[in-house]
Amino acid sequence: MLLRFKQNIVNNRTITNESTISRTTAIESSAMESSLFEVISTSSKVLTVAAIEFGQILYLHAKDVYTGVTDVEESESSWNVAVLYPMMKACARYISMAKGRTVTFVPGEAPLQAMNNIGVATTKAPYNADGILRASNFNKAEICLLETSSGYNKAGRAKISFDHHKAMFALLAMMKNTAQSFKYATYDELKKIKFIFIHAHGDAIRIWSLSSPEPGIYIMNKELKMPSPKDFYKKTDHMNTFMEGSWKLVTLLTDAIDALDEINEAHNRNLKKLLEISLKGIIFVLWLIVNSRVKILILKQASSNEILV
């Protein structure tokens, strides 16, 4: 299957005498493909169909950037469509295939439901993210958001800082919303999950995470920084780093899904115990009521019999 995938890429190459870029792309793409497969195989240990498709999606979109089909410097939307959205969709696709969990990608100024659910935002004044990943199997819990600070290499410090702090509060809302949705789980499960923030600004993509190892303690950590595909003459180095970073991202998201699995199981398990205890309490109360009424009826019957006698 790996060989078939590599052969498909080879068959799709185009070499023309009219384009230096096309000739160079065909010559150098072999090294870039080798790096891509090396990243996947060493990171995942077992090369799966899901991993192959993940790499293929990223490679094809990066190829569009390097061949000039899409200009990431044109606008914020261009950067999103060419690089960031495909990266998030590839992650969603991988998780759906590898874990059997449906992860939905929501693009473009999408309202963060967590903000609405905890009462911070409203439909009239929503919190809009540039992209969101939702775990459909877990009450559509939001596990990842994207903020693109203007176009490629166009954001100022004020915009970058604003988006960073905005996302920090969004991550806290996502954590609180998860705690509310699975309120019968314990902190032992909640502390395992990391909520992910993808921040694109300048010429790079940063991946941040938010976790809470103890009640009242929240840690926001920069997991990695990777270059965004753009410069044709640096594509071999950039693509290798981009693939490594993307694989790290999908690993973080997969871990978040696994943590949500544990949270959901603990929630259902504890809720079941609580219902059983409540049911036993209701049965006991009913037994007391019925038993006392039966005793009263027996006593009344006994009294009436004595009178009759």
Side-chain angles (χ1 to χ4, degrees):
M1 191 170 297
L2 172 59
L3 293 176
R4 189 184 308 134
F5 175 43
K6 294 188 74 172
Q7 186 63 43
N8 287 340
I9 294 177
V10 172
N11 291 339
N12 287 332
R13 294 178 186 152
T14 57
I15 303 178
T16 65
N17 294 326
E18 300 173 358
S19 174
T20 303
I21 291 179
S22 295
R23 288 199 304 275
T24 311
T25 301
I27 294 170
E28 296 182 357
S29 61
S30 178
M32 187 162 64
E33 289 161 21
S34 299
S35 297
L36 182 152
F37 293 116
E38 183 181 349
V39 169
I40 292 178
S41 60
T42 55
S43 298
S44 64
K45 307 302 181 184
V46 178
L47 193 60
T48 63
V49 176
I52 293 174
E53 182 160 338
F54 173 79
Q56 188 175 29
I57 292 172
L58 291 180
Y59 174 80
L60 292 176
H61 283 276
K63 188 176 179 181
D64 285 344
V65 174
Y66 290 132
T67 55
V69 173
T70 307
D71 183 4
V72 296
E73 291 185 293
E74 181 66 26
S75 64
E76 180 179 323
S77 296
S78 296
W79 196 6
N80 284 334
V81 171
V83 178
L84 301 167
Y85 288 175
M87 180 178 67
M88 294 181 74
K89 285 192 285 187
C91 290
R93 180 65 175 162
Y94 172 83
I95 294 170
S96 295
M97 293 180 68
K99 305 297 294 185
R101 300 298 188 188
T102 302
V103 174
T104 304
F105 169 63
V106 185
E109 292 301 311
L112 194 72
Q113 294 302 317
M115 284 289 201
N116 291 344
N117 294 344
I118 68 171
V120 176
T122 64
T123 52
K124 292 183 178 180
Y127 174 106
N128 292 330
D130 290 314
I132 299 170
L133 289 178
R134 292 185 181 135
S136 300
N137 298 99
F138 304 103
N139 298 335
K140 296 184 177 180
E142 290 153 330
I143 58 173
C144 176
L145 65 88
L146 164 70
E147 287 293 346
T148 308
S149 298
S150 302
Y152 184 94
N153 251 339
K154 293 182 178 179
R157 284 184 173 273
K159 173 63 174 173
I160 294 169
S161 178
F162 175 80
D163 284 348
H164 182 85
H165 287 87
K166 173 185 172 186
M168 180 182 67
F169 288 111
L171 292 173
L172 289 168
M174 289 156 64
M175 178 173 287
K176 184 175 181 179
N177 184 58
T178 300
Q180 288 181 351
S181 299
F182 304 96
K183 59 185 177 182
Y184 295 109
T186 68
Y187 220 90
D188 287 336
E189 288 82 34
L190 186 64
K191 70 182 182 182
K192 296 177 183 179
I193 191 170
K194 288 183 177 181
F195 295 91
I196 307 302
F197 164 42
I198 303 171
H199 195 186
H201 64 85
D203 60 355
I205 304 165
R206 286 99 174 152
I207 310 297
W208 294 81
S209 69
L210 179 79
S211 60
S212 180
E214 295 179 19
I217 297 177
Y218 304 95
I219 297 176
M220 193 166 179
N221 180 52
K222 184 162 75 173
E223 299 285 346
L224 63 106
K225 174 185 175 182
M226 56 183 167
S228 175
K230 187 269 172 186
D231 191 338
F232 172 78
Y233 296 102
K234 296 179 180 178
K235 69 180 185 300
T236 302
D237 293 334
H238 282 189
M239 192 61 188
N240 190 24
T241 308
F242 178 66
M243 285 303 306
E244 289 177 355
S246 298
W247 191 251
K248 172 67 174 175
L249 172 61
V250 80
T251 302
L252 288 168
L253 292 170
T254 303
D255 290 343
I257 291 295
D258 289 339
L260 270 177
D261 246 328
E262 290 188 37
I263 291 170
N264 184 54
E265 287 177 7
H267 169 81
N268 291 334
R269 183 173 60 250
N270 294 335
L271 178 59
K272 183 179 179 181
K273 289 180 181 178
L274 184 62
L275 290 175
E276 288 175 353
I277 293 172
S278 299
L279 184 59
K280 288 179 181 178
I282 292 171
I283 292 172
F284 180 68
V285 171
L286 287 174
W287 179 83
L288 286 177
I289 294 172
V290 172
N291 189 49
S292 61
R293 287 183 177 178
V294 168
K295 284 183 178 179
I296 291 171
L297 289 173
I298 291 172
L299 289 173
K300 285 185 177 180
Q301 183 64 38
S303 300
S304 61
N305 288 340
E306 288 176 3
I307 294 170
L308 289 173
V309 172

